[in-house]
Amino acid sequence: MASPPSPDSSAAVRPYRTQDEAGVRQLIDADRLPGQQRCTAQRLAAAGRSPLALAGWTLPAGRPRISVLADTADHPRGVIAFVSWSDVRTGVICWLYARENPPALRALLGHACAELAGCRQIDAFVGAPPGPLGPGGLPRGRRAATHDSLLEAGFTGRRQGSYLHRALPGDPWPAPAKLVADLFPCEVPPGQRLIIRDGAEPVAEAVVSVAPDHTATVYWIETCPTHRGMGLGRKLLGQALALLAEQRAVEAALVIDDSEACTSESRAVSRLFGASGFTLVDELWTYQRRHP
């Protein structure tokens, strides 16, 4: 059932319909960050079937609920997706888009919070890998109106990481002088896994992928503690970027955890990506609201 019009808008919140797909994808892509995949019809359809496509959660849950704020012509002016777990009385606002229009944001947040009223805790923009439905958190600088609307709705926010981006050259990337990693297909996330071994033992790993729109994602890169400080991360990243360019990626994005509680390890990762040409696009924030 549609919610009544908000007091400062002639629009009403109602459930998402199949015919909303094109308008909702436009809303999502309007806030797309550099290097972030574009939202496809297939990805949006998958988001309506599983919360795993929404925010990277692995706990069982019912189908996520997607609601749109429709204008008097029944065109989407905003969209919000949320899911809840009745056994733990927890809800998640997975993503929210309304072209940074404050009245629309307030109407959508009010609707979701009312639907999740039975939850002791509501999280919003929880961490997830960058994808077509979001960059893995709320870009605090670029989406200041959404940030302010969340605070007005009783949420508290904290920085959880940074979104980095770099362009890849149109010409072939210079391949490392010596390939150091073995390459394997990866199903989750879909892409390719690069592994450096010391004998038979894996000691460093990266996972990357290229989307059909030629945007690439570096999902993670990690070196075993016993092999840090040997330059393996730099060599692994160099081979990964060469692979992405070979697969015709034109830009790459990634998220790093550099929150206030970050470790010397995460600072070293930041230096690694900075030295490889990645630059900061925005801080990513996550939010939470608790009921007594």
Side-chain angles (χ1 to χ4, degrees), residues 172-213:
W173 184 277
K178 180 180 178 182
L179 297 180
V180 295
D182 298 319
L183 188 63
F184 303 93
C186 182
E187 292 185 2
V188 182
Q192 292 174 297
R193 188 184 309 270
L194 297 92
I195 298 177
I196 296 177
R197 302 179 186 275
D198 184 356
E201 189 71 18
V203 295
E205 178 181 4
V207 174
V208 298
S209 72
V210 179
D213 60 1

Side-chain angles (χ1 to χ4, degrees), residues 245-260:
E246 181 182 308
Q247 295 177 347
R248 300 178 61 195
V250 297
E251 53 186 342
L254 58 94
V255 171
I256 58 173
D257 178 7
D258 59 354
S259 59
E260 294 180 359

Side-chain angles (χ1 to χ4, degrees), residues 119-138:
C119 296
R120 291 195 183 98
Q121 177 178 310
I122 303 175
D123 295 303
F125 294 91
V126 293
L133 298 173
L138 181 76

Side-chain angles (χ1 to χ4, degrees), residues 54-55 57 59 80-85 88-96 109 112-113 116 119-127 137-138 150 153-158 160 285-291:
L54 293 172
W57 284 65
L59 295 174
I80 191 166
F82 52 96
V83 67
S84 61
W85 289 263
V88 292
R89 295 182 63 188
T90 298
V92 176
I93 294 174
C94 305
W95 36 271
L96 166 63
L109 278 171
C113 289
L116 299 173
C119 296
R120 291 195 183 98
Q121 177 178 310
I122 303 175
D123 295 303
F125 294 91
V126 293
L138 181 76
L150 284 160
F155 287 82
T156 57
R158 64 176 177 85
Q160 68 174 12
W285 280 48
T286 187
Y287 302 83
Q288 188 175 92
R289 191 176 89 164
R290 291 177 179 270
H291 290 293

Side-chain angles (χ1 to χ4, degrees), residues 3-4 58 128-129 146 154 163 221 237:
S3 300
T58 57
T146 300
Y163 183 94
I221 183 167
L237 182 57

Side-chain angles (χ1 to χ4, degrees), residues 21 45 88 105 118 128 189 217 225 230 243:
E21 179 235 302
V88 292
L105 292 166
T217 303
M230 301 179 181
L243 173 66

